[in-house]
Amino acid sequence: MIIVMKHGATPQQIANVVAQIEGMGFRAHLSQGVERTIIGIIGDERPLNPDQILFWEGVERVVPILRPFKLASRDFQPEDTTVNVNGVVIGGTKVVVIAGPCAVEGREQLLEAAHAVKAAGASMLRGGAFKPRTSPYSFQGLGVEGLRLLAEAREQTGLPVVTEVMAPEHVPIVAEYADVLQIGARNMQNFALLEAVGKARKPVLLKRGLMSTVEELLLAAEYILLQGNHQVILCERGIRTFEPYTRNTLDINAIPLLKQLTHLPVIVDPSHGTGRWNLVPAVSRAAVAAGADGLIIEVHPRPEAALSDGAQSLKPDRFAALMEELRRVAEAVGRTL
Ligand code: PEP
Ligand code: MN
């Protein structure tokens, strides 16, 4: 449940309420809005009596939270969360575009892609060093060497780096090089991994599982938040349906729905969402129009030679053209790009 403090409740009254909650064995989550303070109670709250809490000084209301996710819920925190990655703010008015190759394949490929996406106006660089491939015979990524190359690309371009972490034991090394830790769709319910990135002090980009509901995505985010890491960015990347013409079906509904249910920023991956480069521009425009806080787009200097996901990767010139189109859509919905 949440405790809504009275307008003008004193810091002492707020501290007392927090102390009471903690004294009863719960954790308190403070959300200090402009108007008033909201205190969330974390833990199995069944033994709590809301009528009693109403007698605590400074308390205005006690509201039960009926949703299974709490920290991620808008009821818990009405204001949008913004995630600041080396000065790039996700969840604010600017639509943030993250772009780069599916996988880091080598120095030349990565640097070429990084400079191209930077020139086109991207705010962050993506690139997988540890790749979750369906087949064990497919290119698995360059591992730590890939992380080093990403750090070099950041040095050259100034773009913060997003890269996937696949195993809890890899979190320290990936966090050493990356600015944002990506949890891939296949790992959305790897709870040990979610807890490990929850303990890290780096923003997390959490991708929706291939067959996961919106609620399951939010509960996965809850695992990370519960460990004390509040810098979580959600990503709609398409779900598996009966439609074989596209790799996945991008759930456009999920964008406004997530924005209603949670305060966390929501970005969209039109590359995995479609699996086809020539669908990526239209779906990107739709995502921005629907309220996405950002996009993560695969761009490769030579998609035909890519070691993974070439079919869905844009060439740099097409990406640059798309950025121009997106700028106009962003403006039309009251945002910048
Ligand atoms: C990726 O971003 O390259 C990737 C593997 O994405 P997903 O986990 O969404 O399939
Ligand atoms: Mn990919």
Side-chain angles (χ1 to χ4, degrees):
M1 65 181 76
I2 56 173
I3 298 175
V4 181
M5 298 300 290
K6 282 183 181 145
H7 180 76
T10 66
Q12 189 55 51
Q13 288 173 333
I14 294 167
N16 285 346
V17 169
V18 170
Q20 291 262 34
I21 293 167
E22 289 176 349
M24 293 159 99
F26 297 100
R27 273 168 57 190
H29 175 83
L30 228 67
S31 171
Q32 235 125 15
V34 206
E35 284 283 306
R36 58 187 81 230
T37 298
I38 291 174
I39 302 168
I41 302 178
I42 304 155
D44 180 3
E45 61 197 38
R46 277 173 299 182
L48 279 179
N49 180 355
D51 294 337
Q52 228 165 0
I53 295 174
L54 280 173
F55 284 108
W56 298 355
E57 266 181 56
V59 171
E60 180 178 283
R61 263 178 303 139
V62 180
V63 186
I65 302 260
L66 302 171
R67 302 197 190 283
F69 46 90
K70 297 182 190 302
L71 292 171
S73 144
R74 270 250 186 241
D75 303 330
F76 235 66
Q77 182 187 309
E79 316 84 42
D80 287 339
T81 283
T82 55
V83 176
N84 189 321
V85 187
N86 304 355
V88 176
V89 178
I90 307 178
T93 31
K94 186 179 155 82
V95 176
V96 170
V97 178
I98 306 166
C102 176
V104 179
E105 300 170 3
R107 187 166 184 274
E108 201 187 318
Q109 171 251 14
L110 181 67
L111 294 178
E112 199 178 334
H115 285 288
V117 301
K118 160 98 183 180
S123 302
M124 272 199 244
L125 176 66
R126 64 149 290 147
F130 295 93
K131 293 303 301 176
R133 304 307 299 279
T134 300
S135 164
Y137 303 114
S138 300
F139 176 59
Q140 302 287 307
L142 298 179
V144 177
E145 177 53 20
L147 297 176
R148 290 201 189 99
L149 292 171
L150 285 164
E152 187 183 348
R154 172 180 52 216
E155 239 166 73
Q156 289 197 14
T157 60
L159 297 177
V161 160
V162 184
T163 198
E164 178 160 354
V165 56
M166 284 172 53
E169 62 271 24
H170 290 164
V171 171
I173 185 83
V174 177
E176 193 181 318
Y177 290 96
D179 301 297
V180 177
L181 306 172
Q182 178 175 324
I183 300 295
R186 290 154 193 81
N187 269 321
M188 190 203 83
Q189 285 188 316
N190 180 339
F191 301 116
L193 182 59
L194 298 176
E195 287 185 351
V197 297
K199 291 189 176 102
R201 289 298 162 260
K202 279 278 160 88
V204 176
L205 170 51
L206 177 64
K207 299 188 87 174
R208 180 176 179 181
L210 282 77
M211 310 239 243
S212 299
T213 63
V214 161
E215 187 162 294
E216 286 162 347
L217 170 63
L218 289 166
L219 285 167
E222 193 79 9
Y223 269 89
I224 302 169
L225 299 169
L226 202 48
Q227 294 302 319
N229 189 347
H230 295 273
Q231 299 174 281
V232 178
I233 304 151
L234 303 173
C235 180
E236 163 60 38
R237 47 78 72 205
I239 46 178
R240 186 166 279 192
T241 66
F242 50 77
E243 176 52 65
Y245 270 106
T246 48
R247 181 176 179 184
N248 290 293
T249 298
L250 191 104
D251 182 6
I252 204 96
N253 299 355
I255 306 164
L257 177 60
L258 281 166
K259 296 297 291 180
Q260 282 174 14
L261 293 173
T262 182
H263 50 85
L264 297 171
V266 177
I267 71 164
V268 166
D269 177 344
S271 308
H272 294 85
T274 61
R276 299 165 71 130
W277 71 267
N278 55 7
L279 299 181
V280 168
V283 173
S284 301
R285 295 191 300 263
V288 173
D293 295 304
L295 296 166
I296 179 164
I297 302 176
E298 289 185 340
V299 177
H300 195 290
R302 282 165 297 281
E304 61 286 356
L307 297 181
S308 71
D309 289 349
Q312 66 192 35
S313 298
L314 293 181
K315 290 183 182 165
D317 58 344
R318 187 64 194 87
F319 174 70
L322 172 60
M323 288 295 283
E324 284 312 310
E325 296 159 21
L326 292 175
R327 198 156 280 133
R328 297 203 296 275
V329 178
E331 269 167 31
V333 294
R335 308 201 54 172
T336 58
L337 187 109

